[in-house]
Amino acid sequence: MDTGWPLQDLGRRMTRAGVMLDARMRTLKAQPEEGAATAEYAVVLVAATGFAAVLVALLKSDAIKTLLTNIVKKALSV
């Protein structure tokens, strides 16, 4: 049965594939969540931006301005 490759060449290819697979597995084990951390930061930044937008909208409303002004006036009058 002749496959066109000598057995020695096939052995070298298999060894090289095993070494490459081992190197890839070690890399994945060393930094398993690098991309996940980046995605988590992006989600946190989007949430923080949304929260800031809601806070700005609340602080611009007349009711909140009046409430905060009264609190400050009361604190300064003590």
Side-chain angles (χ1 to χ4, degrees):
M1 182 169 106
D2 185 19
T3 60
W5 290 345
L7 288 178
Q8 193 175 30
D9 187 37
L10 181 61
R12 281 190 210 132
R13 288 176 186 249
M14 293 295 288
T15 302
R16 182 170 167 19
V19 168
M20 295 299 287
L21 180 62
D22 182 55
R24 180 68 178 146
M25 293 302 290
R26 287 177 190 261
T27 301
L28 290 175
K29 284 181 183 178
Q31 300 170 350
E33 296 182 8
E34 187 174 314
T38 304
E40 289 166 2
Y41 287 132
V43 169
V44 168
L45 286 175
V46 169
T49 304
F51 180 73
V54 169
L55 189 59
V56 166
L58 283 174
L59 291 175
K60 284 186 175 182
S61 70
D62 289 334
I64 299 296
K65 282 182 184 178
T66 304
L67 179 66
L68 290 175
T69 304
N70 290 338
I71 290 172
V72 170
K73 284 181 182 178
K74 190 174 184 179
L76 292 176
S77 67
V78 172

